[in-house]
Amino acid sequence: MSAVSEAGKARRARVASLGLGALAAGRQLLSGWARLWARPVWAGSFALIIYTVIAAAHHPVLQPTSTNYYDYLANAFLHGQLWLRQVPHQTRDLVYYRGHYALYWGPLPAVLLMPAVAFFGIGVSDVLTSVVVGAINVALIAAILQVATVRRVAPLSRDRRGILVLFFALGTVAITLAPQGRVWSLDQLFGFMWVALAYLAALRLRGWRAFLLTGLALSGAVLTRNHLVLTGIWPAWYLIHEHWDVRWRGLIGRLLVAGAPIVGAVGLLGIYDWARFGNPLNVGIPYHLMNPAFRPDYARYGFLSLHYVPINLFYQYVFYPLPMRADSLMGGSLFLMSPVFFLALAGIWLGRRHGSTWALVGSIMLVNVPILLLMGTGWMQYG
């Protein structure tokens, strides 16, 4: 019996040893995979492949969707016009004014697409554009976390950085926006890209270059989605904090250097809208070909109103859209669709004694104000 018992113990020990070995190998494999995602080039490349595969499963990647409106606007710009020269296959959500079609979205994405449209025509694939910009955004997140670690702003191991990048790429709304194409997705993807570039410039650079390039990136955000300028609170705080030892005249001069491109962008938008509608503050919303479901509320409350806050809060932070059903089109909760974001609350608490934390929270809260006041709920935006 003793020999049998000893043999059984030996077998169990070998099984346990194999199990521990397999576990260790698995952890090492996962660690290596996470470390690859921590590198911007690898992260962007992986995201590009994944987003392309997802896009191809739903739509030919090299063909445009029926709402590739930025291509039409780029074509108009190439011919020195502000109105669309050709009527798209679909006109939903466009602006119709005095017999002309236009976009109410910021014009910068169309400007960036002008070379491609000049070469390939209006048929440039907005799906391919969104896949590429989405992958660039993933690479930018990896770069931001990398430099934030070096600057001791958010010191993280390479494994943890990789996990966060992986979460952003595959666990947030990025994965639903990037494969879609369509004007609504491109608008947000390009806007995010400019904000990420602003944060990266503020973190990576020093001196006049940091202020200038951060300001230029934020001006790009203004020309894409104008409310995104509010995300500039944290970069502004960080740049001031890091250059506090500069004489006050020099610091004010640098802040003016950062602010000049943003003011210029606001001015360009005003001129753009004045040329189209005769009013620098009119982006075309009064002539918006909106979804009929929004018309009654728009007629009564307008485009921005406190009336929309409760429904926006519900769909953006409370409602869970899965399994898909009729009201799922209204969107889905940021936290329930991407539960890792719950940990941000713990991060705020742990960092509550640092000014950087509250500057970042301020950026998040203020940029959310116009979103909560906006007609609509983040239609088909899940997380």
Side-chain angles (χ1 to χ4, degrees):
M1 292 294 293
S2 175
V4 172
S5 176
E6 289 298 326
K9 289 181 179 180
R11 280 196 301 271
R12 286 193 293 272
R14 285 196 297 272
V15 170
S17 177
L18 288 172
L20 291 173
L23 182 61
R27 289 184 63 180
Q28 189 173 3
L29 182 63
L30 289 174
S31 176
W33 177 240
R35 290 186 179 193
L36 286 176
W37 280 90
R39 299 179 180 179
V41 173
W42 281 105
S45 300
F46 289 145
L48 182 64
I49 295 169
I50 293 169
Y51 293 160
T52 301
V53 171
I54 295 173
H58 298 88
H59 188 279
V61 175
L62 297 181
Q63 292 184 18
T65 68
S66 60
T67 56
N68 61 326
Y69 298 154
Y70 281 127
D71 293 348
Y72 286 82
L73 185 58
N75 176 263
F77 289 162
L78 287 168
H79 289 82
Q81 299 182 29
L82 302 180
W83 307 104
L84 303 189
R85 297 176 63 249
Q86 301 178 37
V87 180
H89 300 295
Q90 229 185 103
T91 58
R92 179 167 51 115
D93 245 11
L94 286 176
V95 170
Y96 187 71
Y97 180 72
R98 295 184 177 179
H100 299 288
Y101 286 98
L103 279 67
Y104 67 82
W105 297 278
L108 186 55
V111 174
L112 296 177
L113 288 169
M114 285 171 65
V117 172
F119 192 81
F120 297 105
I122 287 178
V124 171
S125 171
D126 51 334
V127 177
L128 181 60
T129 303
S130 69
V131 164
V132 170
V133 177
I136 290 172
N137 288 343
V138 173
L140 287 172
I141 288 295
I144 288 171
L145 291 176
Q146 190 177 67
V147 72
T149 298
V150 173
R151 299 293 189 193
R152 306 297 297 173
V153 172
L156 296 165
S157 67
R158 185 178 295 177
D159 288 7
R160 292 184 178 184
R161 293 203 315 270
I163 290 169
L164 286 174
V165 175
L166 187 60
F167 161 65
F168 171 78
L170 306 182
T172 70
V173 71
I175 196 171
T176 62
L177 291 176
Q180 284 191 27
R182 308 192 313 162
V183 65
W184 305 280
S185 297
L186 278 175
D187 177 50
Q188 296 187 67
L189 290 166
F190 272 112
F192 186 93
M193 181 186 75
W194 289 114
V195 172
L197 285 169
Y199 277 60
L200 184 61
L203 282 165
R204 184 181 290 278
L205 303 175
R206 287 292 178 269
W208 292 96
R209 285 198 310 158
F211 286 83
L212 175 60
L213 292 179
T214 300
L216 284 171
L218 286 173
S219 70
V222 170
L223 289 167
T224 304
R225 293 173 66 85
N226 53 26
H227 74 287
L228 290 178
V229 69
L230 298 172
T231 62
I233 292 172
W234 187 86
W237 179 92
Y238 182 75
L239 287 173
I240 292 171
H241 180 268
E242 291 299 297
H243 295 81
W244 194 248
D245 57 340
V246 177
R247 294 180 61 182
W248 66 271
R249 288 185 180 179
L251 187 57
I252 291 175
R254 294 179 187 192
L255 288 172
L256 290 174
V257 166
I262 300 172
V263 173
V266 173
L268 284 174
L269 283 179
I271 295 170
Y272 178 60
D273 292 329
W274 177 79
R276 297 189 301 167
F277 308 114
N279 184 344
L281 301 179
N282 184 357
V283 300
I285 293 301
Y287 324 111
H288 174 208
L289 301 176
M290 66 185 69
N291 188 312
F294 297 132
R295 291 187 185 280
D297 276 351
Y298 175 73
R300 184 173 181 182
Y301 302 104
F303 192 56
L304 296 170
S305 172
L306 289 171
H307 168 77
Y308 303 121
V309 172
I311 190 172
N312 281 329
L313 282 172
F314 175 74
Y315 279 105
Q316 293 172 18
Y317 294 100
V318 178
F319 178 70
Y320 189 69
L322 302 178
M324 297 294 287
R325 48 197 184 274
D327 54 352
S328 293
L329 294 177
M330 299 290 277
S333 167
L334 169 73
F335 292 106
L336 296 183
M337 296 302 292
S338 302
V340 174
F341 280 132
F342 277 117
L343 297 176
L345 304 176
I348 293 170
W349 175 254
L350 293 173
R352 65 190 181 280
R353 296 182 181 178
H354 301 286
S356 176
T357 300
W358 296 111
L360 189 56
V361 170
S363 297
I364 295 169
M365 298 300 291
L366 284 179
V367 81
N368 201 38
V369 169
I371 295 172
L372 291 175
L373 294 171
L374 188 67
M375 175 185 69
T377 58
W379 194 260
M380 293 184 69
Q381 299 303 312
Y382 305 111

